[in-house]
Amino acid sequence: MNALTEPAEAKPSAIARPPLVRELLLVAGLFLVYKFGRQLVTGHTTEAYRNAGHVWHWERVLDLPGEGSVQSLLLHGDTLAHLANTYYATVHFPATVAFLVWLYLRRPAHYVWARRVLALLTGAALVIHLVFPLAPPRMLAAAGLVDTAKVYGPSVYGPPQTDTLSNQFAAMPSLHFGWALMVAIGLIVATRSRWRWLWLLHPLVTLLVIVGTANHYWMDAIVATALLGIVLAVIHLPHRTATTAGRAQEKLAPAEPKENVLVGAGR
């Protein structure tokens, strides 16, 4: 066998998946840190309402569209409001988990990248939640919005005074939108289908839902987008040659050994 063919044969055809147990522990640890961090803000009611007034004022100064314009579309019937509340309550976390599981199984290199991005995004958001507690628009009297989850159901939150499982004053940035946008971006760069751009519908629908249900301000999504952009600039995509599956790799992998064999045969 010619020595020139050996490097091509030694190259792995796919990036090895990270150990499953380690990944489960990392995700569980991140979730626990996030839940604990959210509880640190509990009790900052006065500051959260004061910040909400500031955000509402900034949006009017910037001439952003009123959140009520989106909510009015949902209030034409009970069904739309109920569907929006259901989407808010049930799609956010399962969709992100399914995204990571699919990447882990089919695109290990992209999985590592996406997991790092989501972890850093969540950690940065947690810091902002701690230093800038924010009451959502459904709690702000000046907004004049309806708490659709309370009126039409289902609701994932209880009364703020007794809800010990979540921090309802962590509106900015919106991780609902930040995670949804990252899921769309991750699937777009990890796949080659001509239809992959339709994944952008997920963050678009999420944006309309979080605003229409009065759980977030427009500014919450804007800050989440800016934060994700910074994180993506810090954590770079895996190289094209390091992707795990797909037709591009299957076509490129045999080409190098064939070329090496011809070079060796010419000597």
Side-chain angles (χ1 to χ4, degrees):
M1 179 181 294
N2 189 286
L4 292 177
T5 64
E6 293 180 4
E9 293 178 357
K11 290 181 180 179
S13 60
I15 299 299
R17 295 185 183 89
L20 179 59
V21 174
R22 187 191 71 181
E23 293 304 307
L24 291 175
L25 290 175
L26 283 173
V27 173
L30 177 64
F31 177 76
L32 290 176
V33 170
Y34 176 63
K35 293 296 290 185
F36 175 73
R38 287 171 66 94
Q39 296 306 313
L40 293 179
V41 192
T42 302
H44 294 196
T45 304
T46 302
E47 186 179 0
Y49 278 101
R50 182 171 61 249
N51 290 336
H54 293 330
V55 170
W56 187 256
H57 172 70
W58 294 339
E59 288 192 342
R60 306 294 76 78
V61 171
L62 295 173
D63 200 25
L64 293 178
E67 285 80 357
S69 60
V70 178
Q71 185 172 88
S72 62
L73 299 176
L74 301 180
L75 299 182
H76 283 302
D78 296 357
T79 302
L80 282 178
H82 183 80
L83 287 175
N85 293 328
T86 302
Y87 191 96
Y88 180 87
T90 62
V91 174
H92 168 57
F93 190 73
T96 307
V97 171
F99 163 68
L100 289 174
V101 170
W102 186 85
L103 287 183
Y104 181 85
L105 296 175
R106 302 296 299 274
R107 304 288 193 274
H110 285 89
Y111 164 78
V112 174
W113 164 72
R115 187 249 290 152
R116 289 173 179 170
V117 170
L118 286 172
L120 185 55
L121 173 64
T122 303
L126 175 58
V127 173
I128 297 178
H129 293 164
L130 293 175
V131 300
F132 192 78
L134 179 65
R138 58 187 168 83
M139 295 183 182
L140 185 63
L145 298 174
V146 176
D147 186 345
T148 60
K150 182 178 180 180
V151 175
Y152 301 99
S155 176
V156 295
Y157 302 121
Q161 300 80 4
T162 60
D163 187 356
T164 60
L165 297 178
S166 61
N167 170 30
Q168 298 186 46
F169 299 139
M172 180 183 290
S174 168
L175 283 178
H176 264 76
F177 182 74
W179 284 13
L181 184 58
M182 179 55 202
V183 168
I185 292 174
L187 290 171
I188 288 171
V189 301
T191 58
R192 294 292 177 265
S193 169
R194 69 179 64 181
W195 303 104
R196 66 188 185 278
W197 295 99
L198 291 177
W199 286 112
L200 290 173
L201 290 174
H202 176 44
L204 176 59
V205 173
T206 299
L207 176 61
L208 296 178
V209 164
I210 63 176
V211 171
T213 58
N215 281 293
H216 288 282
Y217 306 88
W218 293 112
M219 288 292 295
D220 298 340
I222 293 173
V223 173
T225 302
L227 195 59
L228 178 59
I230 295 173
V231 172
L232 289 173
V234 173
I235 302 178
H236 300 291
L237 272 167
H239 294 295
R240 177 74 176 269
T241 54
T243 55
T244 56
R247 298 173 183 174
Q249 185 186 20
E250 292 173 1
K251 291 180 180 179
L252 290 175
E256 189 174 354
K258 288 181 180 179
E259 183 179 352
N260 289 335
V261 170
L262 291 175
V263 172
R267 291 188 175 183

PDB file of all heavy atoms in Angstrom, residues 18-51:
ATOM      1  N   PRO A  18     -20.239  13.134  21.968  1.00  0.00           N
ATOM      2  CA  PRO A  18     -19.814  13.249  23.366  1.00  0.00           C
ATOM      3  C   PRO A  18     -20.495  12.164  24.197  1.00  0.00           C
ATOM      4  O   PRO A  18     -21.589  11.706  23.842  1.00  0.00           O
ATOM      5  CB  PRO A  18     -20.308  14.647  23.769  1.00  0.00           C
ATOM      6  CG  PRO A  18     -20.503  15.376  22.478  1.00  0.00           C
ATOM      7  CD  PRO A  18     -20.911  14.336  21.475  1.00  0.00           C
ATOM      8  N   PRO A  19     -19.883  11.733  25.300  1.00  0.00           N
ATOM      9  CA  PRO A  19     -20.505  10.705  26.147  1.00  0.00           C
ATOM     10  C   PRO A  19     -21.901  11.138  26.603  1.00  0.00           C
ATOM     11  O   PRO A  19     -22.082  12.261  27.081  1.00  0.00           O
ATOM     12  CB  PRO A  19     -19.535  10.596  27.334  1.00  0.00           C
ATOM     13  CG  PRO A  19     -18.220  11.069  26.798  1.00  0.00           C
ATOM     14  CD  PRO A  19     -18.558  12.130  25.799  1.00  0.00           C
ATOM     15  N   LEU A  20     -22.864  10.247  26.439  1.00  0.00           N
ATOM     16  CA  LEU A  20     -24.255  10.585  26.726  1.00  0.00           C
ATOM     17  C   LEU A  20     -24.464  10.950  28.195  1.00  0.00           C
ATOM     18  O   LEU A  20     -25.149  11.932  28.509  1.00  0.00           O
ATOM     19  CB  LEU A  20     -25.158   9.407  26.347  1.00  0.00           C
ATOM     20  CG  LEU A  20     -26.657   9.590  26.610  1.00  0.00           C
ATOM     21  CD1 LEU A  20     -27.187  10.796  25.841  1.00  0.00           C
ATOM     22  CD2 LEU A  20     -27.434   8.340  26.232  1.00  0.00           C
ATOM     23  N   VAL A  21     -23.870  10.172  29.105  1.00  0.00           N
ATOM     24  CA  VAL A  21     -24.058  10.437  30.536  1.00  0.00           C
ATOM     25  C   VAL A  21     -23.535  11.826  30.896  1.00  0.00           C
ATOM     26  O   VAL A  21     -24.173  12.577  31.635  1.00  0.00           O
ATOM     27  CB  VAL A  21     -23.358   9.358  31.384  1.00  0.00           C
ATOM     28  CG1 VAL A  21     -23.432   9.717  32.866  1.00  0.00           C
ATOM     29  CG2 VAL A  21     -23.985   7.996  31.133  1.00  0.00           C
ATOM     30  N   ARG A  22     -22.374  12.165  30.344  1.00  0.00           N
ATOM     31  CA  ARG A  22     -21.808  13.490  30.622  1.00  0.00           C
ATOM     32  C   ARG A  22     -22.723  14.595  30.124  1.00  0.00           C
ATOM     33  O   ARG A  22     -22.928  15.608  30.798  1.00  0.00           O
ATOM     34  CB  ARG A  22     -20.442  13.625  29.966  1.00  0.00           C
ATOM     35  CG  ARG A  22     -19.701  14.911  30.348  1.00  0.00           C
ATOM     36  CD  ARG A  22     -18.488  15.133  29.472  1.00  0.00           C
ATOM     37  NE  ARG A  22     -18.869  15.500  28.109  1.00  0.00           N
ATOM     38  CZ  ARG A  22     -17.991  15.731  27.142  1.00  0.00           C
ATOM     39  NH1 ARG A  22     -16.695  15.567  27.368  1.00  0.00           N
ATOM     40  NH2 ARG A  22     -18.400  16.077  25.935  1.00  0.00           N
ATOM     41  N   GLU A  23     -23.305  14.402  28.937  1.00  0.00           N
ATOM     42  CA  GLU A  23     -24.183  15.424  28.374  1.00  0.00           C
ATOM     43  C   GLU A  23     -25.455  15.582  29.214  1.00  0.00           C
ATOM     44  O   GLU A  23     -25.923  16.691  29.436  1.00  0.00           O
ATOM     45  CB  GLU A  23     -24.540  15.072  26.933  1.00  0.00           C
ATOM     46  CG  GLU A  23     -23.371  15.139  25.989  1.00  0.00           C
ATOM     47  CD  GLU A  23     -22.691  16.492  26.006  1.00  0.00           C
ATOM     48  OE1 GLU A  23     -23.382  17.509  25.821  1.00  0.00           O
ATOM     49  OE2 GLU A  23     -21.462  16.529  26.230  1.00  0.00           O
ATOM     50  N   LEU A  24     -25.996  14.463  29.684  1.00  0.00           N
ATOM     51  CA  LEU A  24     -27.182  14.536  30.531  1.00  0.00           C
ATOM     52  C   LEU A  24     -26.884  15.278  31.828  1.00  0.00           C
ATOM     53  O   LEU A  24     -27.692  16.081  32.304  1.00  0.00           O
ATOM     54  CB  LEU A  24     -27.698  13.130  30.824  1.00  0.00           C
ATOM     55  CG  LEU A  24     -28.296  12.368  29.628  1.00  0.00           C
ATOM     56  CD1 LEU A  24     -28.653  10.942  30.038  1.00  0.00           C
ATOM     57  CD2 LEU A  24     -29.512  13.091  29.082  1.00  0.00           C
ATOM     58  N   LEU A  25     -25.711  15.023  32.391  1.00  0.00           N
ATOM     59  CA  LEU A  25     -25.328  15.707  33.627  1.00  0.00           C
ATOM     60  C   LEU A  25     -25.114  17.198  33.386  1.00  0.00           C
ATOM     61  O   LEU A  25     -25.492  18.036  34.220  1.00  0.00           O
ATOM     62  CB  LEU A  25     -24.055  15.084  34.195  1.00  0.00           C
ATOM     63  CG  LEU A  25     -24.201  13.664  34.762  1.00  0.00           C
ATOM     64  CD1 LEU A  25     -22.843  13.117  35.191  1.00  0.00           C
ATOM     65  CD2 LEU A  25     -25.185  13.642  35.935  1.00  0.00           C
ATOM     66  N   LEU A  26     -24.531  17.543  32.248  1.00  0.00           N
ATOM     67  CA  LEU A  26     -24.314  18.953  31.925  1.00  0.00           C
ATOM     68  C   LEU A  26     -25.637  19.697  31.778  1.00  0.00           C
ATOM     69  O   LEU A  26     -25.810  20.791  32.314  1.00  0.00           O
ATOM     70  CB  LEU A  26     -23.497  19.066  30.636  1.00  0.00           C
ATOM     71  CG  LEU A  26     -21.997  18.799  30.738  1.00  0.00           C
ATOM     72  CD1 LEU A  26     -21.364  18.791  29.349  1.00  0.00           C
ATOM     73  CD2 LEU A  26     -21.318  19.829  31.624  1.00  0.00           C
ATOM     74  N   VAL A  27     -26.565  19.082  31.054  1.00  0.00           N
ATOM     75  CA  VAL A  27     -27.865  19.724  30.835  1.00  0.00           C
ATOM     76  C   VAL A  27     -28.623  19.838  32.155  1.00  0.00           C
ATOM     77  O   VAL A  27     -29.230  20.880  32.456  1.00  0.00           O
ATOM     78  CB  VAL A  27     -28.686  18.937  29.797  1.00  0.00           C
ATOM     79  CG1 VAL A  27     -30.101  19.496  29.700  1.00  0.00           C
ATOM     80  CG2 VAL A  27     -28.003  18.991  28.435  1.00  0.00           C
ATOM     81  N   ALA A  28     -28.601  18.778  32.958  1.00  0.00           N
ATOM     82  CA  ALA A  28     -29.285  18.818  34.254  1.00  0.00           C
ATOM     83  C   ALA A  28     -28.672  19.872  35.167  1.00  0.00           C
ATOM     84  O   ALA A  28     -29.376  20.608  35.860  1.00  0.00           O
ATOM     85  CB  ALA A  28     -29.228  17.437  34.917  1.00  0.00           C
ATOM     86  N   GLY A  29     -27.344  19.951  35.155  1.00  0.00           N
ATOM     87  CA  GLY A  29     -26.664  20.946  35.982  1.00  0.00           C
ATOM     88  C   GLY A  29     -27.003  22.365  35.550  1.00  0.00           C
ATOM     89  O   GLY A  29     -27.242  23.244  36.391  1.00  0.00           O
ATOM     90  N   LEU A  30     -27.043  22.590  34.246  1.00  0.00           N
ATOM     91  CA  LEU A  30     -27.399  23.907  33.736  1.00  0.00           C
ATOM     92  C   LEU A  30     -28.822  24.277  34.128  1.00  0.00           C
ATOM     93  O   LEU A  30     -29.104  25.412  34.514  1.00  0.00           O
ATOM     94  CB  LEU A  30     -27.249  23.929  32.216  1.00  0.00           C
ATOM     95  CG  LEU A  30     -27.646  25.229  31.513  1.00  0.00           C
ATOM     96  CD1 LEU A  30     -26.729  26.363  31.936  1.00  0.00           C
ATOM     97  CD2 LEU A  30     -27.604  25.051  29.987  1.00  0.00           C
ATOM     98  N   PHE A  31     -29.727  23.300  34.046  1.00  0.00           N
ATOM     99  CA  PHE A  31     -31.118  23.552  34.411  1.00  0.00           C
ATOM    100  C   PHE A  31     -31.241  23.925  35.888  1.00  0.00           C
ATOM    101  O   PHE A  31     -31.959  24.854  36.248  1.00  0.00           O
ATOM    102  CB  PHE A  31     -31.965  22.321  34.107  1.00  0.00           C
ATOM    103  CG  PHE A  31     -33.407  22.454  34.511  1.00  0.00           C
ATOM    104  CD1 PHE A  31     -34.283  23.217  33.764  1.00  0.00           C
ATOM    105  CD2 PHE A  31     -33.890  21.818  35.647  1.00  0.00           C
ATOM    106  CE1 PHE A  31     -35.613  23.358  34.141  1.00  0.00           C
ATOM    107  CE2 PHE A  31     -35.207  21.939  36.029  1.00  0.00           C
ATOM    108  CZ  PHE A  31     -36.079  22.713  35.271  1.00  0.00           C
ATOM    109  N   LEU A  32     -30.504  23.213  36.759  1.00  0.00           N
ATOM    110  CA  LEU A  32     -30.572  23.491  38.189  1.00  0.00           C
ATOM    111  C   LEU A  32     -30.002  24.872  38.512  1.00  0.00           C
ATOM    112  O   LEU A  32     -30.557  25.613  39.330  1.00  0.00           O
ATOM    113  CB  LEU A  32     -29.812  22.410  38.963  1.00  0.00           C
ATOM    114  CG  LEU A  32     -30.457  21.014  38.969  1.00  0.00           C
ATOM    115  CD1 LEU A  32     -29.542  20.019  39.678  1.00  0.00           C
ATOM    116  CD2 LEU A  32     -31.831  21.044  39.643  1.00  0.00           C
ATOM    117  N   VAL A  33     -28.890  25.220  37.873  1.00  0.00           N
ATOM    118  CA  VAL A  33     -28.306  26.540  38.092  1.00  0.00           C
ATOM    119  C   VAL A  33     -29.273  27.623  37.635  1.00  0.00           C
ATOM    120  O   VAL A  33     -29.461  28.649  38.302  1.00  0.00           O
ATOM    121  CB  VAL A  33     -26.964  26.666  37.344  1.00  0.00           C
ATOM    122  CG1 VAL A  33     -26.473  28.113  37.359  1.00  0.00           C
ATOM    123  CG2 VAL A  33     -25.924  25.747  37.978  1.00  0.00           C
ATOM    124  N   TYR A  34     -29.925  27.388  36.498  1.00  0.00           N
ATOM    125  CA  TYR A  34     -30.874  28.362  35.975  1.00  0.00           C
ATOM    126  C   TYR A  34     -32.062  28.534  36.918  1.00  0.00           C
ATOM    127  O   TYR A  34     -32.479  29.662  37.216  1.00  0.00           O
ATOM    128  CB  TYR A  34     -31.338  27.912  34.593  1.00  0.00           C
ATOM    129  CG  TYR A  34     -32.397  28.793  33.987  1.00  0.00           C
ATOM    130  CD1 TYR A  34     -32.124  30.126  33.687  1.00  0.00           C
ATOM    131  CD2 TYR A  34     -33.667  28.300  33.703  1.00  0.00           C
ATOM    132  CE1 TYR A  34     -33.089  30.945  33.128  1.00  0.00           C
ATOM    133  CE2 TYR A  34     -34.633  29.112  33.140  1.00  0.00           C
ATOM    134  CZ  TYR A  34     -34.341  30.429  32.858  1.00  0.00           C
ATOM    135  OH  TYR A  34     -35.300  31.226  32.309  1.00  0.00           O
ATOM    136  N   LYS A  35     -32.617  27.427  37.393  1.00  0.00           N
ATOM    137  CA  LYS A  35     -33.760  27.503  38.302  1.00  0.00           C
ATOM    138  C   LYS A  35     -33.372  28.197  39.601  1.00  0.00           C
ATOM    139  O   LYS A  35     -34.127  29.009  40.144  1.00  0.00           O
ATOM    140  CB  LYS A  35     -34.292  26.096  38.596  1.00  0.00           C
ATOM    141  CG  LYS A  35     -34.921  25.402  37.404  1.00  0.00           C
ATOM    142  CD  LYS A  35     -36.161  26.128  36.923  1.00  0.00           C
ATOM    143  CE  LYS A  35     -37.316  26.019  37.891  1.00  0.00           C
ATOM    144  NZ  LYS A  35     -38.555  26.628  37.377  1.00  0.00           N
ATOM    145  N   PHE A  36     -32.163  27.889  40.117  1.00  0.00           N
ATOM    146  CA  PHE A  36     -31.721  28.517  41.345  1.00  0.00           C
ATOM    147  C   PHE A  36     -31.513  30.011  41.138  1.00  0.00           C
ATOM    148  O   PHE A  36     -31.892  30.838  41.963  1.00  0.00           O
ATOM    149  CB  PHE A  36     -30.409  27.873  41.816  1.00  0.00           C
ATOM    150  CG  PHE A  36     -29.811  28.539  43.024  1.00  0.00           C
ATOM    151  CD1 PHE A  36     -30.377  28.381  44.274  1.00  0.00           C
ATOM    152  CD2 PHE A  36     -28.677  29.340  42.898  1.00  0.00           C
ATOM    153  CE1 PHE A  36     -29.824  29.004  45.387  1.00  0.00           C
ATOM    154  CE2 PHE A  36     -28.120  29.966  43.998  1.00  0.00           C
ATOM    155  CZ  PHE A  36     -28.698  29.794  45.248  1.00  0.00           C
ATOM    156  N   GLY A  37     -30.912  30.358  40.004  1.00  0.00           N
ATOM    157  CA  GLY A  37     -30.669  31.762  39.716  1.00  0.00           C
ATOM    158  C   GLY A  37     -31.952  32.556  39.586  1.00  0.00           C
ATOM    159  O   GLY A  37     -32.038  33.712  40.015  1.00  0.00           O
ATOM    160  N   ARG A  38     -32.965  31.948  38.975  1.00  0.00           N
ATOM    161  CA  ARG A  38     -34.243  32.642  38.822  1.00  0.00           C
ATOM    162  C   ARG A  38     -34.864  32.944  40.181  1.00  0.00           C
ATOM    163  O   ARG A  38     -35.500  33.981  40.376  1.00  0.00           O
ATOM    164  CB  ARG A  38     -35.209  31.795  37.987  1.00  0.00           C
ATOM    165  CG  ARG A  38     -34.858  31.752  36.504  1.00  0.00           C
ATOM    166  CD  ARG A  38     -35.709  30.720  35.782  1.00  0.00           C
ATOM    167  NE  ARG A  38     -37.114  31.080  35.763  1.00  0.00           N
ATOM    168  CZ  ARG A  38     -37.703  31.742  34.775  1.00  0.00           C
ATOM    169  NH1 ARG A  38     -36.996  32.118  33.735  1.00  0.00           N
ATOM    170  NH2 ARG A  38     -38.974  32.031  34.818  1.00  0.00           N
ATOM    171  N   GLN A  39     -34.664  32.052  41.143  1.00  0.00           N
ATOM    172  CA  GLN A  39     -35.248  32.263  42.452  1.00  0.00           C
ATOM    173  C   GLN A  39     -34.575  33.403  43.220  1.00  0.00           C
ATOM    174  O   GLN A  39     -35.155  33.968  44.141  1.00  0.00           O
ATOM    175  CB  GLN A  39     -35.170  30.969  43.273  1.00  0.00           C
ATOM    176  CG  GLN A  39     -35.977  29.818  42.698  1.00  0.00           C
ATOM    177  CD  GLN A  39     -37.428  30.206  42.462  1.00  0.00           C
ATOM    178  OE1 GLN A  39     -38.069  30.792  43.317  1.00  0.00           O
ATOM    179  NE2 GLN A  39     -37.940  29.890  41.283  1.00  0.00           N
ATOM    180  N   LEU A  40     -33.340  33.736  42.836  1.00  0.00           N
ATOM    181  CA  LEU A  40     -32.639  34.816  43.519  1.00  0.00           C
ATOM    182  C   LEU A  40     -33.319  36.162  43.312  1.00  0.00           C
ATOM    183  O   LEU A  40     -33.148  37.084  44.105  1.00  0.00           O
ATOM    184  CB  LEU A  40     -31.184  34.891  43.030  1.00  0.00           C
ATOM    185  CG  LEU A  40     -30.285  33.709  43.385  1.00  0.00           C
ATOM    186  CD1 LEU A  40     -28.890  33.922  42.804  1.00  0.00           C
ATOM    187  CD2 LEU A  40     -30.210  33.511  44.889  1.00  0.00           C
ATOM    188  N   VAL A  41     -34.088  36.280  42.215  1.00  0.00           N
ATOM    189  CA  VAL A  41     -34.739  37.546  41.910  1.00  0.00           C
ATOM    190  C   VAL A  41     -36.094  37.663  42.595  1.00  0.00           C
ATOM    191  O   VAL A  41     -36.676  38.737  42.671  1.00  0.00           O
ATOM    192  CB  VAL A  41     -34.912  37.696  40.380  1.00  0.00           C
ATOM    193  CG1 VAL A  41     -35.310  39.118  40.012  1.00  0.00           C
ATOM    194  CG2 VAL A  41     -33.613  37.337  39.673  1.00  0.00           C
ATOM    195  N   THR A  42     -36.600  36.547  43.096  1.00  0.00           N
ATOM    196  CA  THR A  42     -37.910  36.555  43.724  1.00  0.00           C
ATOM    197  C   THR A  42     -37.941  37.557  44.880  1.00  0.00           C
ATOM    198  O   THR A  42     -37.046  37.592  45.721  1.00  0.00           O
ATOM    199  CB  THR A  42     -38.254  35.149  44.248  1.00  0.00           C
ATOM    200  OG1 THR A  42     -38.221  34.238  43.159  1.00  0.00           O
ATOM    201  CG2 THR A  42     -39.634  35.132  44.877  1.00  0.00           C
ATOM    202  N   GLY A  43     -38.965  38.385  44.897  1.00  0.00           N
ATOM    203  CA  GLY A  43     -39.091  39.368  45.962  1.00  0.00           C
ATOM    204  C   GLY A  43     -38.730  40.775  45.538  1.00  0.00           C
ATOM    205  O   GLY A  43     -39.013  41.731  46.261  1.00  0.00           O
ATOM    206  N   HIS A  44     -38.104  40.919  44.363  1.00  0.00           N
ATOM    207  CA  HIS A  44     -37.741  42.247  43.871  1.00  0.00           C
ATOM    208  C   HIS A  44     -38.921  42.871  43.127  1.00  0.00           C
ATOM    209  O   HIS A  44     -38.773  43.344  42.001  1.00  0.00           O
ATOM    210  CB  HIS A  44     -36.514  42.155  42.962  1.00  0.00           C
ATOM    211  CG  HIS A  44     -35.269  41.725  43.684  1.00  0.00           C
ATOM    212  ND1 HIS A  44     -34.018  41.894  43.142  1.00  0.00           N
ATOM    213  CD2 HIS A  44     -35.079  41.171  44.898  1.00  0.00           C
ATOM    214  CE1 HIS A  44     -33.111  41.438  43.988  1.00  0.00           C
ATOM    215  NE2 HIS A  44     -33.738  40.991  45.057  1.00  0.00           N
ATOM    216  N   THR A  45     -40.075  42.856  43.760  1.00  0.00           N
ATOM    217  CA  THR A  45     -41.297  43.276  43.097  1.00  0.00           C
ATOM    218  C   THR A  45     -41.268  44.746  42.706  1.00  0.00           C
ATOM    219  O   THR A  45     -41.584  45.114  41.563  1.00  0.00           O
ATOM    220  CB  THR A  45     -42.514  43.006  44.001  1.00  0.00           C
ATOM    221  OG1 THR A  45     -42.522  41.624  44.358  1.00  0.00           O
ATOM    222  CG2 THR A  45     -43.804  43.364  43.292  1.00  0.00           C
ATOM    223  N   THR A  46     -40.890  45.601  43.641  1.00  0.00           N
ATOM    224  CA  THR A  46     -40.890  47.042  43.375  1.00  0.00           C
ATOM    225  C   THR A  46     -39.965  47.394  42.220  1.00  0.00           C
ATOM    226  O   THR A  46     -40.329  48.161  41.310  1.00  0.00           O
ATOM    227  CB  THR A  46     -40.468  47.813  44.635  1.00  0.00           C
ATOM    228  OG1 THR A  46     -41.358  47.493  45.713  1.00  0.00           O
ATOM    229  CG2 THR A  46     -40.495  49.316  44.373  1.00  0.00           C
ATOM    230  N   GLU A  47     -38.761  46.831  42.226  1.00  0.00           N
ATOM    231  CA  GLU A  47     -37.796  47.099  41.167  1.00  0.00           C
ATOM    232  C   GLU A  47     -38.286  46.567  39.823  1.00  0.00           C
ATOM    233  O   GLU A  47     -38.106  47.207  38.776  1.00  0.00           O
ATOM    234  CB  GLU A  47     -36.449  46.471  41.518  1.00  0.00           C
ATOM    235  CG  GLU A  47     -35.333  46.802  40.546  1.00  0.00           C
ATOM    236  CD  GLU A  47     -34.010  46.176  40.947  1.00  0.00           C
ATOM    237  OE1 GLU A  47     -33.980  45.488  42.000  1.00  0.00           O
ATOM    238  OE2 GLU A  47     -33.026  46.366  40.214  1.00  0.00           O
ATOM    239  N   ALA A  48     -38.926  45.393  39.843  1.00  0.00           N
ATOM    240  CA  ALA A  48     -39.418  44.791  38.607  1.00  0.00           C
ATOM    241  C   ALA A  48     -40.505  45.649  37.970  1.00  0.00           C
ATOM    242  O   ALA A  48     -40.534  45.831  36.744  1.00  0.00           O
ATOM    243  CB  ALA A  48     -39.955  43.387  38.883  1.00  0.00           C
ATOM    244  N   TYR A  49     -41.403  46.211  38.778  1.00  0.00           N
ATOM    245  CA  TYR A  49     -42.459  47.065  38.239  1.00  0.00           C
ATOM    246  C   TYR A  49     -41.893  48.407  37.773  1.00  0.00           C
ATOM    247  O   TYR A  49     -42.360  48.965  36.767  1.00  0.00           O
ATOM    248  CB  TYR A  49     -43.554  47.284  39.282  1.00  0.00           C
ATOM    249  CG  TYR A  49     -44.535  46.143  39.355  1.00  0.00           C
ATOM    250  CD1 TYR A  49     -44.454  45.184  40.358  1.00  0.00           C
ATOM    251  CD2 TYR A  49     -45.556  46.016  38.410  1.00  0.00           C
ATOM    252  CE1 TYR A  49     -45.352  44.129  40.426  1.00  0.00           C
ATOM    253  CE2 TYR A  49     -46.470  44.977  38.470  1.00  0.00           C
ATOM    254  CZ  TYR A  49     -46.361  44.027  39.484  1.00  0.00           C
ATOM    255  OH  TYR A  49     -47.248  42.982  39.538  1.00  0.00           O
ATOM    256  N   ARG A  50     -40.908  48.915  38.475  1.00  0.00           N
ATOM    257  CA  ARG A  50     -40.293  50.168  38.054  1.00  0.00           C
ATOM    258  C   ARG A  50     -39.588  49.991  36.709  1.00  0.00           C
ATOM    259  O   ARG A  50     -39.713  50.841  35.817  1.00  0.00           O
ATOM    260  CB  ARG A  50     -39.295  50.643  39.114  1.00  0.00           C
ATOM    261  CG  ARG A  50     -38.652  51.984  38.768  1.00  0.00           C
ATOM    262  CD  ARG A  50     -37.836  52.551  39.914  1.00  0.00           C
ATOM    263  NE  ARG A  50     -36.748  51.678  40.301  1.00  0.00           N
ATOM    264  CZ  ARG A  50     -36.683  51.003  41.444  1.00  0.00           C
ATOM    265  NH1 ARG A  50     -37.691  51.101  42.315  1.00  0.00           N
ATOM    266  NH2 ARG A  50     -35.655  50.235  41.725  1.00  0.00           N
ATOM    267  N   ASN A  51     -38.872  48.885  36.546  1.00  0.00           N
ATOM    268  CA  ASN A  51     -38.208  48.599  35.266  1.00  0.00           C
ATOM    269  C   ASN A  51     -39.222  48.403  34.148  1.00  0.00           C
ATOM    270  O   ASN A  51     -38.974  48.776  32.998  1.00  0.00           O
ATOM    271  CB  ASN A  51     -37.325  47.368  35.404  1.00  0.00           C
ATOM    272  CG  ASN A  51     -36.098  47.612  36.258  1.00  0.00           C
ATOM    273  OD1 ASN A  51     -35.649  48.758  36.392  1.00  0.00           O
ATOM    274  ND2 ASN A  51     -35.547  46.562  36.834  1.00  0.00           N
TER     275      ASN A  51
END
